[in-house]
Amino acid sequence: MPLRPVQVNIKALDPSTVGRFWAQALGWGAHNTGVTTYTGPGGGLVWPERDGLGIDVVPVPEAKTAAKNRVHIDLATNTAAHQEELVARLRSLGATPADIGQGDVPWTVLADPEGNEFCVLEPREVYRDTGPIAAVVVDCADPWATARFWGEAVDWTVREVTDDRAVLRSATGTGPYLEFLRTPGAPTGPDRVHLDLLPYPGDDKAAEVARLRALGAADLDVGQGDVPWTCLADPEGHEFCVCALS
């Protein structure tokens, strides 16, 4: 059975600070789980979330060096006033304006306290029921090929495909979208932000990892050592992890 996306994984020098930022930004709770800081919409430490994606901020020894991450989060707003208020609140929490060459656009590009870019979108009807996270956006060279891999890897369905964009969402019609955008010259890994996937209860993690390899995923060594999760990369080299139920 395909895997389910369960969280956005963000690497940080100071996971507590970055985790608290995202918890306050989204109106969620922050929970220190060992060395990581987890935030999710459930209000308590609920993992995996029933609907939507959590955010897990994990410690790394290196600061962000890439000019732009290949994966970022888009935040939803309901009105122009809401967008303006949210941007102001995020800046008061420590977000800073970010210039990634976006030019004159109706959305606002910001960066979290360690420089990870994200967007505060203008109101869009398509994101009205997603919750605070509208989409997880992935830069890639070939959106359709990348979405084809992910459509087979996870239990989300392809909702839209154009020459420059491919979109997936949970078959339940809830939570954020997963969007692949054609981005010429996008940098290659290591990725500062990636998705974590989880098998369903009763499914075999090793069999799922083998299935992903057969679909084109490659093993990835990011210095993880002996851990219960498996690090892989999709056919374009985007990092992701297959977690295990504890």
Side-chain angles (χ1 to χ4, degrees):
M1 183 174 182
L3 298 152
R4 49 184 164 155
V6 290
Q7 63 194 20
V8 179
N9 185 297
I10 300 176
K11 299 173 184 174
L13 285 171
D14 185 347
S16 180
T17 295
V18 175
R20 282 197 307 271
F21 168 84
W22 281 104
Q24 292 175 302
L26 300 170
W28 296 348
H31 310 276
N32 291 321
T33 56
V35 297
T36 76
T37 298
Y38 177 80
T39 180
L45 182 53
V46 179
W47 191 89
E49 304 291 338
R50 244 185 291 184
D51 297 307
L53 299 173
I55 294 178
D56 197 33
V57 186
V58 303
V60 292
E62 306 87 10
K64 176 178 180 283
T65 57
K68 179 180 181 292
N69 290 332
R70 289 195 294 177
V71 179
H72 73 267
I73 293 171
D74 281 351
L75 302 186
T77 63
N78 298 322
T79 64
H82 180 205
Q83 182 186 18
E84 184 177 350
E85 292 164 1
L86 181 56
V87 169
R89 186 170 68 82
L90 292 168
R91 294 191 65 174
S92 74
L93 294 173
T96 54
D99 185 352
I100 54 173
Q102 68 269 22
D104 184 15
V105 292
W107 59 89
T108 301
V109 184
L110 299 172
D112 75 10
E114 291 201 7
N116 299 299
E117 305 87 3
F118 64 97
C119 298
V120 181
L121 301 179
E122 76 284 4
R124 302 184 192 181
E125 185 63 31
V126 67
Y127 301 131
R128 190 160 294 276
D129 64 349
T130 61
I133 298 179
V136 178
V137 182
V138 182
D139 294 345
C140 58
D142 187 338
W144 175 225
T146 307
R148 189 164 56 241
F149 167 84
W150 282 90
E152 294 185 57
V154 303
D155 63 342
W156 288 17
T157 57
V158 177
R159 299 297 184 94
E160 176 188 347
V161 178
T162 67
D163 286 344
D164 295 323
R165 182 170 176 262
V167 179
L168 281 72
R169 196 185 191 193
S170 169
T172 65
T174 59
Y177 291 80
L178 177 59
E179 302 181 356
F180 300 95
L181 299 184
R182 188 181 303 279
T183 311
T188 57
D191 290 320
R192 201 75 178 174
V193 181
H194 69 260
L195 279 173
D196 285 343
L197 313 180
L198 185 69
Y200 280 91
D203 287 351
D204 184 274
K205 174 177 170 288
E208 284 299 311
V209 169
R211 185 179 67 83
L212 293 172
R213 292 186 182 119
L215 291 174
D219 291 294
L220 187 66
D221 186 352
V222 292
Q224 68 269 23
D226 185 16
V227 292
W229 59 89
T230 301
C231 297
L232 299 169
D234 73 10
E236 282 207 12
H238 301 100
E239 176 184 335
F240 67 97
C241 294
V242 179
C243 300
L245 281 169
S246 55

